[in-house]
């Protein structure tokens, strides 16, 4: 009898609930809708419906609870294992500063050596990016820019080519330290923000295929890809090619450097459309005499580039000459 009474009570409450819902739908009186909503809430909060909902929660909660606990335990184990593996690797093979070989946490340069880097900041020559000793006023060019203007429009560098910068460049270039490229590329992006804000394409200075095969990667391309991620300016790496091998520029005079790279670069005929009418930023690791980037700029301008600027990690600054 109790079972039948319970079923009857449930059916009666369900009927009342349907009626209240129907009246709430057809009623246009806001007060009537509020009354109906109150009645539905009262029905839903009744003892039988509360018991039914509690019963459903009791039936489904154990499986949900077990699965959530398992997922939490797995995530905790995964994080602990990752942390332990990273800690073991740091202990077995600690990252060392490339300049002083002291252990370092991060990007390969300790705080002391980072402080020794000579970052280039204004005032500098607006054409060549050579730092001035003092601010000579807006628009004044350096003596080098006036005496021998380059084919490119502007050049910018992140740091002076001093001892620490030389160590970084050689580690990236000859010692497979590609882990240095992210930090170096970020510094370059900051130094060249004026050029990159107007650029349509990044073109890394190419290697000849023989040297690229022996070195396995192009350090200028590695820097360009970091700058691409920082700025969104796309890298166009296949347009400019080094069509003949050249000897190392190290140890050559200025005139020998220019002769060494003369005619060494060319824009492929099928890639002229990637360059024509576009504002290009050449990417390289070091600017010494400027012979290499000047030869590249001439090749890009022959392919009808709208303009060519240069962005490097480090540039040689002749401290024996007056900058202005």
């Amino acid at each position: 009898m109790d079972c039948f009474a319970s079923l009857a009570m449930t059916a009666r409450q369900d009927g009342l609930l349907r009626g209240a819902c129907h009246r709430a739908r057809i009623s246009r009186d806001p007060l009537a809708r509020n009354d109906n909503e109150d009645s539905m809430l009262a029905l839903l909060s009744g003892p039988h419906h509360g018991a039914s909902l509690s019963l459903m929660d009791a039936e489904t909660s154990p499986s949900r609870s077990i699965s959530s606990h398992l997922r939490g335990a797995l995530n905790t184990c995964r994080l602990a294992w990752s942390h332990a593996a990273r800690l073991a690797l740091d202990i077995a093979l600690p990252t060392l500063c490339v300049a002083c070989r002291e252990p370092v946490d991060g990007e390969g340069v300790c705080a002391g050596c980072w402080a020794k880097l000579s970052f280039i900041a204004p005032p500098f020559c607006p054409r060549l990016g050579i730092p001035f000793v003092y601010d000579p006023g807006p628009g004044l060019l350096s003596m080098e820019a006036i005496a021998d203007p380059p084919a490119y429009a502007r050049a910018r560098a992140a740091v002076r080519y001093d001892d620490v910068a030389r160590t970084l460049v050689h580690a990236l270039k000859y010692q497979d330290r590609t882990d240095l490229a992210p930090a170096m590329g970020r510094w370059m992006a900051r130094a060249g923000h004026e050029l990159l804000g107007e650029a349509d394409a990044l073109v890394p200075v190419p290697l000849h295929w023989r040297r690229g095969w022996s070195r396995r990667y192009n350090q200028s391309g590695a820097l360009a890809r970091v700058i691409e991620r920082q700025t969104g300016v796309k890298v166009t790496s296949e347009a400019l090619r080094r069509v003949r091998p050249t000897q190392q520029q190290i140890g050559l005079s200025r005139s020998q450097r220019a002769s060494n790279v003369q005619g060494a670069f060319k824009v492929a005929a099928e890639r002229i459309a990637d360059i024509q009418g576009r504002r290009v930023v050449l990417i390289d690791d070091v600017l010494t005499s400027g012979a290499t980037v000047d030869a590249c700029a001439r090749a890009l301008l022959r392919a009808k580039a709208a303009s060519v600027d240069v962005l490097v990690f480090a540039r040689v600054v002749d401290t024996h000459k007056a900058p202005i």
Side-chain angles (χ1 to χ4, degrees), residues 3-16 43 47-49:
C3 178
F4 287 115
S6 176
L7 288 174
M9 179 63 71
T10 301
R12 180 174 177 274
Q13 289 177 342
D14 289 340
L16 291 174
L43 285 171
H48 292 282
H49 282 274

Side-chain angles (χ1 to χ4, degrees), residues 150-232:
Y152 51 85
R154 297 169 294 179
R156 298 290 182 268
V159 299
R160 293 173 183 249
Y161 192 58
D162 55 15
D163 292 339
V164 177
R166 183 186 300 109
T167 304
L168 287 170
V169 169
H170 284 192
L172 173 65
K173 198 169 185 175
Y174 304 118
Q175 300 170 17
D176 294 340
R177 288 296 304 272
T178 54
D179 58 298
L180 299 174
M184 296 167 69
R186 286 197 300 272
W187 297 338
M188 291 171 65
R190 185 167 61 245
H193 66 91
E194 178 187 2
L195 313 183
L196 298 168
E198 304 170 1
D200 298 316
L202 304 176
V203 176
V205 173
L207 296 174
H208 189 263
W209 67 268
R210 293 177 186 171
R211 187 166 295 166
W213 183 81
S214 63
R215 197 176 289 173
R216 299 189 301 279
Y217 66 93
N218 181 3
Q219 75 280 356
S220 300
L223 294 171
R225 284 188 289 275
V226 174
I227 297 170
E228 178 186 47
R229 291 193 293 270
Q230 289 286 311
T231 64

